[in-house]
Amino acid sequence: MTSPDVLQSETEYPRLLLASNREPFRVIRGTDGDVRHCIRSMGGLTSALCPVLERCEGVWVSWNPEPFAPDDEIQVREQDGDGIPFPVIQVGLRNSEVRSYYNGFCNRALWPLCHTILRCVTPRLDYWQDFRLINERFADEIATQSRRSDVIWIHDYHLMLVPAAMRRRIDPKHRVGYFHHVPFPNARVLKAFPWHRQLIKGLLGADSIGFHTPEYASNFIECCQELLSCDTRTEQGTIVHGKHKTVVRVRPIGVDAKAFASLADEPEVRKHAIEIRRTLPCERLVLSVDRLDYTKGILERVEAIRSLFSRLPQCRGVVTFMQVAVPTRPDVPEYQQYRLKLEEAINALNGEFGHGDWKPFIYRTEPLNRKELVAHYLAADVACVTPIADGMNLVASEYCASRTDEDGVLVLSNQAGASAILGEFAISVDIRHQESVVTGILQALTMSEAEQSSRMQKLRSLVMKNTTDVWLRNCLHDILEPDPVEGEQVAVFAQREQSRRNGNGRAHAGKSRHPAHSHGAAAKRRHHAGNGNAQRPAH
Ligand code: ADP
Ligand code: F6P
C-alpha cells in the first residue's frame, strides 16, 4: 500500500473510534469459503478515511455485507501488504434490515433527499423504523468499544442519529464528532421530509459537525433555526440545542495528493498509461470515473456527447470518451432503472456514430486498482466530472494530483462540492444545461498547452494544499477544542450569508474558495501559536 501523506506525528493524535456504514475493505473468498484477499471498498468516504487509520491508532466500526468469522480476521490481516491494517469491528445486519435500513431509508430516502433529487425520495415508515433501530445498534457497538480518551468520529448520513444516541450512552465530557460527506439540503426541502426534526436532533448530539462547503453548512444551520428553533450564531457556526452546544465547520475533504503524485511518476504506471492510449484508435481521450449513480450525471453526459458528435462531425474518429462506472447499490430499483437507461443510451450513441475500430464511447464497469486508476488519469487529455449534485467528488482532485506534468484539463460541474475549491481553474459547466457541457468539453479539447499548464499548476497547488492530512487535523481540532470564534470560518459563513441575501443560492460556482484558503491560514496560525495543548493535533 502506498504511504499516505497524513500524520507526520502519530503520537500527538488521540486514538480514533471511527464509525461508518460502509466497511473500509471487502473480503474476497475462494470457492472453499476461505478468505483469498481483500479489496478497498469503493467510494469517497473510504478513499478519504483509509489513509487516516493506516497511520494513526484506531478502530473502525462498520457494517460488512460479508461478515468475518473469528479466524477470518487473522487470515485477512496476514495478507501480504494487502490486508486490513487496522482493527475493524463489524455491526451485523439481517437481510431484512439491509433491505429496509440500507437499501430503503439510506439509499431511497436520505441519499436523494440530501442531493435534492426529490422524485427519488421514498419516505416509508418501515424504512424509518429500521433506520432508528440500526443507528441504536451502531451506538451500542461504539459505546462498547470506546475508551475514555478516544475521539468518537461518526461518518455520513447513514448514521445521522448516532451522535445523539452516543450522548445517552457515554460520559458527557466524551468528545463526539460527525462528518457529513454528502450535500445538506435547505430548510424548504428538509421540512417536507417526515422525520426532519429527529434527523436534526440526532446530529446535534455531536460536539462538532463538518461539511464540505459553506452552502451545506449554512443550510444545516438554517434548518436548526427554522425547523427546531435552536439558538444559532450563523457567522460563528454555533448551535445551542437544550444545554448542548455544537460547532459547525466547513472542512472540505482532500485526497492523499502526494501518494497519487508519486504513483503517477512510477515508470510502470506511465508505461501503462501509454499502453492505454496505444490501444485506442483516437487522438484525444476524455475520461470519467464514477460509481454508477444517478447523482453523477452520467446519462446527461452521454446525451451531451451525442449532441457534440452530431453537431461536429470532425470530432468523429478523433475523440473518444471513456466512462468507468462501477455498479453500486444494485438492489435499489432506482439504480437498476438508471443503469438500464444509461446502457441503452450508450448503445444508441455507439450505434449512431461508431465506425471501423473507433467507438465514441467506451463503457467499463470494473473497479480499477490504484495503479490502474492513476494510469487512466495520466492517459486522459481531459477529465469530465459532471455530477448533478455531489458532496465533494474526489475524482476531480485525484486527476489533478496525478497530472505531475502539469497538463490535462478538468471539466467540472458547478454542482460538485469540489467546485468550491477547484471551480475557478477548471472548466466550470452547468450539467443542467446541455449546451454548457458541450461547450465546456470543446473548450477543454481545444485548449492551448500554455493555458492547460497555467490552469493545471493552480489546480495542483490547491489539491496539494488541501490534503487528507490538513482535513484530518482541522476536523480533529474541531472535535477536541473548537475555537469559540474562528476568524476564517466566520468569513466563510459571512460570505455565504451575503451571497444568500443577494439571491445567489449556490455560493460555490467557482468563486468562493475561502474554505481552502482558510485551511492554509488556520494551519499556519496554529503553527505559529506554538501548539500549546498536547491534545491538539500536530502541524
Ligand atoms: P462518492 O463518494 O460518491 O463515491 P467520490 O468521487 O468522492 O464519489 O469518490 C469516489 C472514490 O471512488 C474515488 O476515490 C475514486 O477514485 C473511487 N472510484 C470510483 N470509481 C472507481 C473505479 N471504477 N475504480 C477505482 N476507483 C474508483
Ligand atoms: O461518499 C458518499 C458515500 O455515500 C459514502 O458514504 C459511501 O460509502 C459511498 O458514497 C459509496 O456508497 P455505498 O457505501 O452505498 O456503496
Side-chain angles (χ1 to χ4, degrees), residues 1-187:
M1 242 168 243
T2 327
S3 217
D5 67 343
V6 293
L7 305 186
Q8 307 305 325
S9 164
E10 293 161 44
T11 48
E12 296 194 41
Y13 283 82
R15 179 178 178 268
L16 288 182
L17 190 44
L18 289 191
S20 71
N21 171 71
R22 174 59 63 207
E23 81 290 0
F25 289 86
R26 277 181 46 216
V27 294
I28 306 299
R29 292 174 192 277
T31 41
D32 53 5
D34 280 356
V35 173
R36 286 282 170 269
H37 64 282
C38 28
I39 50 171
R40 208 183 267 242
S41 303
M42 190 71 61
L45 185 148
T46 49
S47 292
L49 293 180
C50 282
V52 170
L53 272 196
E54 278 163 18
R55 290 290 286 266
C56 57
E57 201 201 337
V59 178
W60 192 319
V61 178
S62 57
W63 160 61
N64 195 315
E66 300 242 12
F68 301 156
D71 44 333
D72 275 350
E73 205 187 348
I74 296 156
Q75 288 186 51
V76 169
R77 291 218 212 174
E78 277 170 359
Q79 302 290 321
D80 188 19
D82 205 17
I84 301 178
F86 41 77
V88 176
I89 307 293
Q90 298 193 314
V91 175
L93 299 186
R94 295 184 193 93
N95 288 342
S96 63
E97 292 167 341
V98 173
R99 283 197 293 274
S100 53
Y101 150 77
Y102 173 66
N103 290 328
F105 200 76
C106 295
N107 291 331
R108 303 193 72 198
L110 283 180
W111 176 265
L113 176 74
C114 287
H115 290 82
T116 314
I117 301 185
L118 303 181
R119 65 172 190 283
C120 295
V121 177
T122 309
R124 277 175 38 178
L125 181 63
D126 55 332
Y127 290 172
W128 163 246
Q129 284 164 338
D130 269 2
F131 179 74
R132 279 174 47 192
L133 185 85
I134 302 307
N135 272 243
E136 292 290 326
R137 194 176 299 160
F138 264 89
D140 284 336
E141 192 58 57
I142 298 165
T144 308
Q145 298 297 328
S146 81
R147 300 182 199 155
R148 177 67 193 87
S149 57
D150 286 348
V151 164
I152 296 177
W153 200 11
I154 319 288
H155 287 268
D156 230 357
Y157 60 99
H158 313 86
L159 304 181
M160 279 172 94
L161 304 179
V162 173
M166 294 317 300
R167 289 278 155 238
R168 298 192 288 274
R169 287 167 172 79
I170 56 173
D171 185 299
K173 292 204 191 88
H174 208 134
R175 309 295 293 175
V176 176
Y178 170 88
F179 197 88
H180 197 73
H181 291 257
V182 294
F184 199 89
N186 64 31

